[in-house]
Amino acid sequence: MKTIDFSCKHNVMLQNDDGTLQPMDEPYFESEQIAPGTWKIRTDGDYCYLVEGDEEALMIDTGYGAGNIREYAQSLTKKPLHNVVNTHDHFDHTANNCYFDCAFMSAESKPLATIPFESFAGIDFPRDYPIEVIDEGYVFHLGKRDLEVFKIPDHAVGSIALLDRKERLLFCGDEIMPMGKPLNGSVERFYGYLKKLEARRGEFDRICAGLGVIEADWVEKYRKNMEYILAGHAGVKPQPGPELKQMFGENGQPIYPRRMPHYPDIVGKHDIRPYQLEMNYAGCKVIYDSRKIKDEN
């Protein structure tokens, strides 16, 4: 597979944490080992993860940065790396799937994966790579290390989580993150997903999410928040966040902060709706649809 051609974005800049700028078409990778045989990988888009067993390695999500992420990930492990599993369909998790022999994902994710965001217009991202559909209970056997699949679809229609009992990790994409939880479905439905994960809470200590690694007690925090809403407590109207502005360089070139959403992809898409309420409780924030408390709503 040849490298996906980002050259039409050469004049678009990505801003690194230290303030330096790099053209969007230049590959950028860095990694951190977070557990034995487990790496958190940064390119652009949300974090990806590499997991190795005694027999093979597996990629979890692929980001949307330039360059061959499979080649980079293979440089971190001596185990053969052939496949990727996607936690959900969003482009910042699936853009580079075509570098792998097969992409594993839920049936709901399959028709939506690798659809480019607006800021990537003009780049050809292949969507004809082999796909294997997986469901609740599927287990990846990597050699003395298994990853078990749970379906928890709220942030996206086909979201899954992967439980790694050996290293006591839960990989959950964007479903559980510390900055707050905007619900798409009902409060009751996501509460059910949290209860499902809590039933296995004794088997994981940390959550590997799209924005990084957090403590496992975020499952309990969100569960308590959902219980509080279901008990009849109402949230308050959310306050608007800071105004989003497109950044430009000295020569007028667009600038996007690395690993954060690109301005054209999010502007106007997270406006507060009349029916939204915000609940701050149990150390976390939930934004929910006041019309969708119970499943039947």
Side-chain angles (χ1 to χ4, degrees), residues 189-265:
R189 184 172 302 176
F190 195 70
Y191 173 72
Y193 298 148
L194 294 171
K195 291 289 286 182
K196 177 165 58 176
L197 295 178
E198 251 193 330
R200 308 293 291 275
R201 178 63 183 80
E203 299 175 283
F204 62 97
D205 300 321
R206 291 184 292 166
I207 296 171
C208 298
L211 290 184
V213 181
I214 58 177
E215 295 302 311
D217 63 359
W218 281 95
V219 173
E220 286 96 336
K221 291 179 182 180
Y222 280 117
R223 187 261 300 163
K224 290 177 182 177
N225 194 308
M226 304 287 164
E227 284 181 340
Y228 194 65
I229 298 171
L230 290 169
H233 299 92
V236 299
K237 200 67 182 171
Q239 295 299 309
E243 182 182 358
L244 296 173
K245 293 184 179 180
Q246 172 68 71
M247 296 190 298
F248 294 97
E250 293 181 356
N251 298 319
Q253 68 271 43
I255 298 175
Y256 306 134
R258 183 177 297 282
R259 212 188 54 74
M260 297 302 290
H262 296 177
Y263 178 82
D265 305 333

XYZ file of all heavy atoms in Angstrom, residues 189-265:
633
model
N -29.990 4.604 28.743
C -29.238 3.663 27.908
C -27.750 3.695 28.242
O -27.122 2.657 28.407
C -29.452 3.970 26.429
C -28.772 2.973 25.507
C -29.178 3.198 24.077
N -30.625 3.085 23.918
C -31.267 3.319 22.773
N -30.604 3.702 21.695
N -32.576 3.184 22.713
N -27.187 4.901 28.365
C -25.754 4.951 28.683
C -25.492 4.454 30.101
O -24.450 3.845 30.361
C -25.194 6.361 28.498
C -23.694 6.384 28.455
C -23.012 5.844 27.367
C -22.948 6.904 29.497
C -21.627 5.830 27.321
C -21.559 6.897 29.470
C -20.898 6.363 28.376
N -26.427 4.682 30.990
C -26.319 4.130 32.342
C -26.191 2.603 32.269
O -25.393 1.994 32.996
C -27.549 4.529 33.154
C -27.643 3.876 34.515
C -26.792 4.244 35.546
C -28.603 2.896 34.765
C -26.884 3.646 36.797
C -28.704 2.298 36.013
C -27.844 2.680 37.033
O -27.944 2.087 38.265
N -26.946 1.986 31.383
C -26.850 0.541 31.207
C -25.482 0.101 30.719
O -24.953 -0.923 31.167
N -24.876 0.870 29.814
C -23.534 0.543 29.341
C -22.519 0.643 30.479
O -21.615 -0.190 30.600
C -23.113 1.483 28.208
C -23.975 1.419 26.971
C -24.177 2.552 26.185
C -24.596 0.242 26.584
C -24.960 2.506 25.046
C -25.387 0.189 25.443
C -25.565 1.332 24.680
O -26.349 1.293 23.568
N -22.665 1.678 31.308
C -21.754 1.842 32.441
C -21.887 0.698 33.436
O -20.895 0.212 33.981
C -22.016 3.180 33.130
C -21.687 4.418 32.297
C -22.205 5.672 32.994
C -20.192 4.537 32.046
N -23.114 0.259 33.670
C -23.331 -0.875 34.568
C -22.680 -2.138 34.003
O -22.137 -2.967 34.752
C -24.829 -1.092 34.795
C -25.510 -0.002 35.592
C -25.096 -0.032 37.054
C -25.742 -1.190 37.787
N -25.367 -1.188 39.227
N -22.722 -2.290 32.703
C -22.083 -3.442 32.065
C -20.570 -3.415 32.291
O -19.963 -4.441 32.610
C -22.404 -3.452 30.566
C -21.733 -4.565 29.792
C -22.337 -4.762 28.404
C -22.305 -3.570 27.519
N -22.811 -3.871 26.158
N -19.980 -2.244 32.158
C -18.545 -2.117 32.395
C -18.216 -2.260 33.872
O -17.199 -2.856 34.238
C -18.046 -0.768 31.873
C -18.136 -0.541 30.362
C -17.659 0.855 30.009
C -17.346 -1.588 29.592
N -19.067 -1.728 34.737
C -18.813 -1.828 36.175
C -18.856 -3.268 36.663
O -18.192 -3.611 37.640
C -19.828 -0.982 36.946
C -19.210 0.242 37.554
C -20.102 0.922 38.560
O -21.337 0.865 38.451
O -19.540 1.527 39.484
N -19.625 -4.111 35.978
C -19.659 -5.522 36.360
C -18.298 -6.178 36.191
O -18.018 -7.207 36.810
C -20.708 -6.263 35.522
N -17.432 -5.560 35.367
C -16.074 -6.074 35.145
C -15.018 -5.144 35.735
O -13.838 -5.274 35.406
C -15.843 -6.234 33.634
C -16.918 -7.046 32.922
C -16.920 -8.500 33.335
N -15.741 -9.189 32.858
C -15.633 -9.728 31.639
N -16.646 -9.684 30.795
N -14.516 -10.340 31.287
N -15.471 -4.248 36.599
C -14.585 -3.216 37.134
C -13.370 -3.792 37.877
O -12.297 -3.188 37.908
C -15.401 -2.309 38.065
C -14.616 -1.213 38.739
C -14.032 -0.213 37.752
N -13.245 0.760 38.510
C -12.017 0.555 38.949
N -11.399 -0.580 38.700
N -11.384 1.495 39.632
N -13.494 -4.969 38.448
C -12.379 -5.584 39.143
C -11.272 -6.059 38.230
O -10.227 -6.524 38.694
N -11.462 -5.912 36.905
C -10.489 -6.418 35.936
C -9.716 -5.320 35.215
O -8.886 -5.615 34.363
C -11.199 -7.315 34.923
C -11.856 -8.529 35.566
C -12.668 -9.344 34.583
O -13.795 -8.912 34.242
O -12.180 -10.401 34.142
N -9.980 -4.038 35.532
C -9.189 -2.970 34.906
C -9.004 -1.811 35.884
O -9.868 -1.519 36.706
C -9.815 -2.484 33.596
C -11.197 -1.871 33.703
C -11.365 -0.495 33.783
C -12.329 -2.667 33.702
C -12.632 0.072 33.864
C -13.603 -2.120 33.779
C -13.755 -0.738 33.867
N -7.836 -1.187 35.782
C -7.466 -0.073 36.655
C -7.384 1.256 35.924
O -7.455 2.313 36.546
C -6.099 -0.333 37.301
C -6.093 -1.594 38.152
O -7.099 -1.848 38.832
O -5.077 -2.325 38.118
N -7.170 1.201 34.614
C -7.035 2.430 33.830
C -7.857 2.328 32.554
O -8.117 1.236 32.039
C -5.575 2.700 33.492
C -4.713 3.085 34.682
C -3.294 3.443 34.258
N -2.575 2.270 33.768
C -1.427 2.324 33.090
N -0.888 3.499 32.794
N -0.819 1.220 32.707
N -8.241 3.492 32.044
C -8.995 3.602 30.803
C -8.108 4.291 29.768
O -7.570 5.372 30.018
C -10.289 4.403 31.012
C -11.230 3.666 31.970
C -10.984 4.673 29.689
C -12.428 4.484 32.409
N -7.954 3.671 28.615
C -7.199 4.253 27.507
C -8.201 4.871 26.539
O -8.880 4.165 25.783
C -6.362 3.183 26.813
S -5.133 2.423 27.896
N -8.315 6.198 26.595
C -9.330 6.917 25.835
C -8.699 7.711 24.702
O -7.473 7.781 24.572
C -10.085 7.858 26.785
N -9.554 8.334 23.897
C -9.058 9.093 22.761
C -8.161 10.253 23.139
O -7.261 10.619 22.388
N -8.393 10.837 24.325
C -7.573 11.964 24.759
C -6.476 11.564 25.732
O -5.789 12.432 26.274
C -8.461 13.049 25.384
C -9.371 13.791 24.406
C -10.133 14.902 25.122
C -8.583 14.379 23.240
N -6.310 10.280 25.985
C -5.236 9.838 26.851
C -5.679 8.817 27.873
O -6.800 8.297 27.813
N -4.808 8.526 28.829
C -5.047 7.480 29.824
C -5.561 8.122 31.110
O -4.964 9.077 31.620
C -3.757 6.685 30.100
C -4.014 5.577 31.107
C -3.199 6.112 28.790
N -6.678 7.599 31.624
C -7.293 8.124 32.844
C -7.569 6.969 33.797
O -7.507 5.793 33.418
C -8.601 8.888 32.539
C -9.608 7.974 31.819
C -8.305 10.131 31.708
C -10.949 8.635 31.540
N -7.880 7.310 35.036
C -8.172 6.285 36.033
C -9.537 5.647 35.784
O -10.457 6.287 35.271
C -8.120 6.889 37.442
C -6.749 7.378 37.865
C -5.699 6.281 37.820
O -5.964 5.182 38.354
O -4.616 6.520 37.256
N -9.657 4.395 36.187
C -10.871 3.636 35.919
C -12.075 4.141 36.696
O -13.225 3.829 36.345
C -10.640 2.155 36.224
N -11.850 4.944 37.753
C -12.988 5.394 38.548
C -13.891 6.368 37.808
O -14.961 6.732 38.303
C -12.530 5.994 39.882
C -11.678 7.247 39.729
O -11.402 7.664 38.586
O -11.291 7.810 40.767
N -13.496 6.785 36.592
C -14.403 7.607 35.783
C -15.660 6.837 35.405
O -16.712 7.440 35.163
C -13.694 8.143 34.547
C -12.826 9.313 34.876
C -11.487 9.303 35.163
C -13.241 10.677 34.994
N -11.047 10.570 35.451
C -12.098 11.437 35.361
C -14.459 11.330 34.837
C -12.149 12.817 35.548
C -14.509 12.707 35.029
C -13.377 13.431 35.383
N -15.596 5.518 35.347
C -16.810 4.732 35.101
C -17.799 4.949 36.234
O -18.995 5.200 36.012
C -16.468 3.233 34.946
C -17.751 2.398 34.859
C -15.610 2.999 33.710
N -17.330 4.873 37.477
C -18.210 5.078 38.632
C -18.736 6.502 38.686
O -19.907 6.731 39.023
C -17.473 4.762 39.943
C -17.257 3.279 40.190
C -15.879 2.809 39.735
O -15.282 3.454 38.847
O -15.400 1.809 40.261
N -17.880 7.477 38.390
C -18.309 8.873 38.425
C -19.474 9.103 37.475
O -20.501 9.704 37.852
C -17.142 9.791 38.046
C -16.019 9.859 39.061
C -14.917 10.778 38.566
C -13.745 10.825 39.530
N -12.666 11.724 39.054
N -19.344 8.626 36.253
C -20.424 8.816 35.286
C -21.659 8.000 35.651
O -22.792 8.460 35.465
C -19.938 8.495 33.867
C -19.165 9.622 33.243
C -17.828 9.465 32.890
C -19.762 10.855 33.020
C -17.115 10.509 32.330
C -19.053 11.900 32.451
C -17.734 11.726 32.108
O -17.023 12.769 31.549
N -21.457 6.818 36.200
C -22.606 6.018 36.627
C -23.394 6.745 37.710
O -24.634 6.806 37.671
C -22.132 4.641 37.111
C -23.272 3.656 37.415
C -23.586 3.597 38.887
N -22.402 3.169 39.649
C -22.286 3.346 40.957
N -23.247 3.960 41.647
N -21.189 2.962 41.597
N -22.708 7.331 38.684
C -23.391 8.075 39.745
C -24.114 9.299 39.194
O -25.213 9.647 39.639
C -22.381 8.490 40.815
C -21.841 7.331 41.633
C -20.781 7.804 42.622
C -20.206 6.636 43.411
N -19.120 7.088 44.333
N -23.508 9.959 38.221
C -24.141 11.112 37.594
C -25.442 10.691 36.903
O -26.480 11.351 37.064
C -23.165 11.743 36.590
C -23.586 13.124 36.126
O -24.710 13.331 35.674
N -22.673 14.079 36.208
N -25.383 9.588 36.166
C -26.587 9.090 35.478
C -27.668 8.711 36.487
O -28.852 9.002 36.290
C -26.235 7.874 34.621
C -25.151 8.082 33.602
S -25.658 9.073 32.199
C -24.059 9.484 31.526
N -27.283 8.075 37.558
C -28.255 7.698 38.594
C -28.931 8.935 39.178
O -30.143 8.922 39.457
C -27.561 6.915 39.707
C -27.227 5.484 39.344
C -26.554 4.722 40.468
O -26.005 5.371 41.382
O -26.575 3.479 40.414
N -28.162 9.983 39.371
C -28.706 11.219 39.938
C -29.760 11.824 39.005
O -30.819 12.277 39.444
C -27.554 12.197 40.156
C -27.874 13.388 41.025
C -28.189 13.236 42.375
C -27.831 14.677 40.500
C -28.455 14.334 43.176
C -28.093 15.789 41.294
C -28.414 15.601 42.631
O -28.681 16.689 43.422
N -29.480 11.812 37.708
C -30.456 12.320 36.731
C -31.689 11.422 36.706
O -32.836 11.903 36.729
C -29.820 12.400 35.327
C -28.641 13.370 35.317
C -30.864 12.835 34.291
C -27.820 13.339 34.042
N -31.472 10.111 36.680
C -32.591 9.166 36.624
C -33.451 9.230 37.884
O -34.633 8.880 37.860
C -32.061 7.740 36.417
C -31.464 7.450 35.040
C -30.740 6.106 35.042
C -32.542 7.472 33.964
N -32.877 9.711 39.000
C -33.637 9.848 40.240
C -34.525 11.094 40.231
O -35.253 11.342 41.205
C -32.692 9.898 41.431
N -34.460 11.883 39.162
C -35.350 13.028 39.032
C -34.703 14.379 39.161
O -35.386 15.407 39.091
N -33.398 14.432 39.338
C -32.715 15.717 39.446
C -32.440 16.279 38.046
O -31.966 15.555 37.163
C -31.407 15.563 40.209
C -31.590 15.071 41.606
N -31.549 13.730 41.935
C -31.842 15.736 42.767
C -31.753 13.582 43.228
N -31.936 14.773 43.757
N -32.741 17.547 37.870
C -32.567 18.184 36.562
C -31.309 19.031 36.544
O -30.967 19.693 37.542
C -33.773 19.046 36.229
N -30.646 19.034 35.417
C -29.467 19.860 35.249
C -29.824 21.304 34.946
O -31.000 21.693 34.985
N -28.811 22.085 34.630
C -28.987 23.497 34.297
C -28.638 23.709 32.828
O -28.032 22.859 32.183
C -28.111 24.387 35.192
C -28.497 24.220 36.644
C -26.624 24.080 34.987
N -29.021 24.862 32.333
C -28.711 25.176 30.946
C -27.199 25.322 30.781
O -26.545 26.042 31.554
C -29.392 26.493 30.556
C -29.545 26.676 29.060
C -30.523 25.658 28.507
C -30.633 25.801 26.992
N -31.404 24.678 26.421
N -26.596 24.655 29.818
C -25.139 24.778 29.634
C -24.739 26.200 29.265
O -25.490 26.911 28.584
C -24.844 23.809 28.486
C -26.033 22.906 28.402
C -27.203 23.711 28.870
N -23.572 26.609 29.716
C -23.033 27.908 29.345
C -22.212 27.767 28.065
O -21.504 26.780 27.872
C -22.154 28.458 30.463
C -22.918 28.770 31.741
C -23.989 29.818 31.528
O -23.711 30.891 30.970
N -25.203 29.512 31.941
N -22.318 28.748 27.170
C -21.524 28.671 25.936
C -20.037 28.614 26.253
O -19.566 29.245 27.206
C -21.882 29.972 25.207
C -23.170 30.415 25.816
C -23.137 29.957 27.245
N -19.321 27.847 25.479
C -17.877 27.783 25.637
C -17.206 28.979 24.971
O -17.882 29.851 24.406
N -15.883 29.042 25.019
C -15.165 30.150 24.369
C -15.408 30.132 22.866
O -15.583 29.069 22.253
C -13.700 29.870 24.709
C -13.643 28.409 25.045
C -14.967 28.069 25.654
N -15.436 31.303 22.273
C -15.670 31.411 20.839
C -14.527 30.748 20.064
O -13.348 30.989 20.341
C -15.781 32.877 20.429
C -16.070 33.064 18.950
C -16.127 34.528 18.547
O -15.973 35.397 19.452
O -16.290 34.807 17.349
N -14.895 29.907 19.116
C -13.887 29.238 18.300
C -13.445 30.153 17.168
O -14.262 30.792 16.512
C -14.465 27.941 17.719
C -14.851 26.853 18.731
C -15.563 25.710 18.023
C -13.616 26.337 19.453
N -12.151 30.227 16.965
C -11.619 31.058 15.896
C -10.598 30.270 15.085
O -9.810 29.511 15.634
C -10.968 32.323 16.474
C -11.960 33.280 17.130
C -11.258 34.556 17.602
C -12.247 35.521 18.226
N -11.589 36.771 18.690
N -10.639 30.478 13.779
C -9.640 29.876 12.914
C -8.335 30.655 13.050
O -8.319 31.880 12.972
C -10.111 29.891 11.468
C -9.065 29.457 10.453
C -8.713 27.991 10.560
O -9.507 27.136 10.209
N -7.514 27.686 11.040
N -7.228 29.946 13.262
C -5.913 30.590 13.339
C -5.265 30.593 11.956
O -5.435 29.645 11.177
C -5.023 29.844 14.330
C -5.519 29.874 15.751
S -4.286 29.223 16.926
C -4.118 27.533 16.344
N -4.526 31.656 11.677
C -3.813 31.768 10.407
C -2.372 32.197 10.669
O -2.086 32.939 11.624
C -4.483 32.801 9.486
C -5.866 32.406 9.035
C -6.975 32.879 9.700
C -6.039 31.555 7.953
C -8.260 32.520 9.290
C -7.305 31.185 7.537
C -8.420 31.667 8.212
N -1.473 31.742 9.806
C -0.076 32.119 9.903
C 0.210 33.443 9.222
O -0.687 34.087 8.657
N 1.484 33.852 9.239
C 1.884 35.131 8.653
C 1.568 35.206 7.170
O 1.306 36.292 6.638
C 3.385 35.354 8.878
C 3.770 35.546 10.334
C 5.251 35.774 10.498
O 5.987 35.709 9.473
O 5.697 36.007 11.645
N 1.593 34.079 6.499
C 1.309 34.055 5.066
C -0.134 33.661 4.764
O -0.463 33.351 3.624
C 2.270 33.095 4.363
C 3.712 33.525 4.506
O 4.020 34.716 4.403
N 4.611 32.578 4.733
N -0.971 33.681 5.789
C -2.384 33.384 5.583
C -2.731 31.915 5.578
O -3.880 31.550 5.316
N -1.762 31.045 5.891
C -2.030 29.609 5.867
C -2.813 29.203 7.124
O -2.545 29.708 8.205
C -0.742 28.791 5.745
C 0.170 28.833 6.962
C 1.168 29.964 6.930
O 0.820 31.080 6.574
N 2.419 29.674 7.298
N -3.808 28.313 6.992
C -4.549 27.852 8.174
C -3.633 27.119 9.146
O -2.686 26.441 8.742
C -5.593 26.887 7.585
C -5.674 27.226 6.136
C -4.315 27.704 5.753
N -3.914 27.263 10.442
C -3.162 26.570 11.485
C -4.149 25.821 12.370
O -5.128 26.398 12.856
C -2.353 27.556 12.351
C -1.316 28.296 11.501
C -1.666 26.818 13.492
C -0.571 29.379 12.266
N -3.873 24.530 12.585
C -4.687 23.716 13.486
C -3.798 23.176 14.601
O -2.695 22.699 14.339
C -5.302 22.514 12.749
C -6.086 22.851 11.511
C -5.901 22.113 10.334
C -7.011 23.882 11.495
C -6.631 22.403 9.190
C -7.741 24.178 10.347
C -7.540 23.436 9.199
O -8.259 23.726 8.061
N -4.242 23.242 15.858
C -3.469 22.610 16.932
C -3.404 21.099 16.712
O -4.420 20.467 16.426
C -4.260 22.955 18.201
C -5.116 24.111 17.826
C -5.430 23.928 16.370
N -2.223 20.524 16.837
C -2.072 19.095 16.616
C -2.920 18.297 17.604
O -2.986 18.596 18.778
C -0.604 18.676 16.764
C -0.371 17.191 16.458
C 1.082 16.822 16.535
N 1.882 17.519 15.546
C 1.931 17.187 14.255
N 1.215 16.173 13.801
N 2.686 17.871 13.417
N -3.572 17.276 17.093
C -4.365 16.326 17.851
C -5.667 16.900 18.398
O -6.398 16.218 19.092
C -3.540 15.704 19.003
C -3.945 14.262 19.321
C -3.241 13.760 20.575
N -3.441 14.638 21.710
C -4.576 14.736 22.394
N -5.611 14.022 22.052
N -4.655 15.553 23.418
N -5.965 18.148 18.074
C -7.246 18.726 18.438
C -8.110 18.820 17.187
O -7.603 18.812 16.060
C -7.056 20.109 19.062
C -6.263 20.096 20.357
S -7.012 19.053 21.638
C -8.463 20.022 22.013
N -9.428 18.889 17.342
C -10.288 18.984 16.149
C -9.936 20.191 15.292
O -9.627 21.271 15.816
C -11.693 19.121 16.751
C -11.610 18.496 18.098
C -10.220 18.803 18.594
N -9.974 20.028 13.977
C -9.692 21.122 13.057
C -10.914 22.044 12.975
O -12.048 21.572 12.926
C -9.367 20.572 11.679
C -8.122 19.730 11.642
N -7.694 19.086 10.502
C -7.207 19.424 12.609
C -6.581 18.417 10.758
N -6.274 18.612 12.028
N -10.665 23.329 12.918
C -11.745 24.316 12.972
C -12.882 24.034 11.977
O -14.056 24.040 12.372
C -11.172 25.717 12.748
C -12.212 26.813 12.727
C -12.701 27.356 13.918
C -12.706 27.304 11.521
C -13.649 28.355 13.908
C -13.665 28.303 11.498
C -14.130 28.818 12.693
O -15.091 29.804 12.676
N -12.616 23.779 10.683
C -13.735 23.571 9.750
C -14.598 22.350 10.091
O -15.754 22.269 9.665
C -13.036 23.361 8.394
C -11.676 23.927 8.571
C -11.318 23.678 9.999
N -14.035 21.420 10.853
C -14.747 20.177 11.146
C -15.710 20.309 12.316
O -16.546 19.413 12.528
C -13.744 19.057 11.442
C -12.743 18.866 10.319
O -13.094 19.178 9.168
O -11.607 18.427 10.594
